[in-house]
Amino acid sequence: MIKVSDFSAKVFKRIRRIPAGHVSTYVLVARAIGHPGAARAVGNALNKNPYAPKIPCHRVVKSNGEVGDYAFGAKKKSKLLQEEGVKITRGKIVNFENILYKF
DNA sequence: GTGTTGACCACAG
DNA sequence: GCTGTGGCCAACA
C-alpha cells in the first residue's frame, strides 16, 4: 500500500466511483471530499497520483466542459473518454451536463 | 514560516 | 474568442 495524504486518498476514492461513460469535474470532486474550492489541489494530487493506471483519472475534467490536461497527455485522455462513449469535439465534451456524474 | 508551482475557477476587459 | 488578475488549496524547496 502506497502512502498518500488523506486528501489524495479521498480524491482517488471518489474518482473510482465514476462509472464508464460519465465524467466529473475537479470542483465537484473537491466539494465531494469536503474541500470546496480545492479544485487545484485535486489536480495536483492526480498529477502525482501513485495509482496512475488504477484510477480512471481521465474521467475528471474541467468545470467548463473542457477535457483539461492529463499526466499521460490530454490527447490520450480524450481518446480514452471517447472509447468509453464520451463524445468530444475540439477538446470539449459533448452532452457534458448529460453525462456529468454528481456524487 | 515563506515563496513557488500546479491536471483549476471565476470575473473583468 | 483571448489575456490578465485574484482567489482557492495542497505539496515541496
Side-chain angles (χ1 to χ4, degrees):
Chain A
M1 196 56 181
I2 305 173
K3 257 179 70 177
V4 296
S5 298
D6 295 332
F7 180 81
S8 313
K10 287 177 185 176
V11 173
F12 302 137
K13 267 192 161 191
R14 290 285 177 174
I15 294 173
R16 242 182 194 167
R17 300 192 198 172
I18 304 175
H22 286 250
V23 297
S24 190
T25 75
Y26 298 98
V27 173
L28 288 177
V29 173
R31 190 173 182 277
I33 65 178
H35 287 260
R40 212 164 180 169
V42 172
N44 199 354
L46 291 180
N47 182 22
K48 303 159 184 155
N49 90 66
Y51 301 100
K54 288 184 150 201
I55 305 289
C57 330
H58 58 274
R59 287 180 196 149
V60 183
V61 299
K62 301 210 288 185
S63 300
N64 64 346
E66 293 182 1
V67 178
D69 286 321
Y70 187 52
F72 289 75
K75 194 164 143 193
K76 189 87 177 185
K77 182 172 181 177
S78 332
K79 199 163 190 172
L80 286 170
L81 286 172
Q82 290 187 91
E83 293 290 313
E84 296 184 351
V86 179
K87 217 164 194 285
I88 297 175
T89 305
R90 297 196 310 266
K92 288 185 186 171
I93 296 178
V94 183
N95 300 332
F96 174 58
E97 299 206 359
N98 193 38
I99 64 172
L100 179 59
Y101 184 77
K102 299 157 187 170
F103 295 98

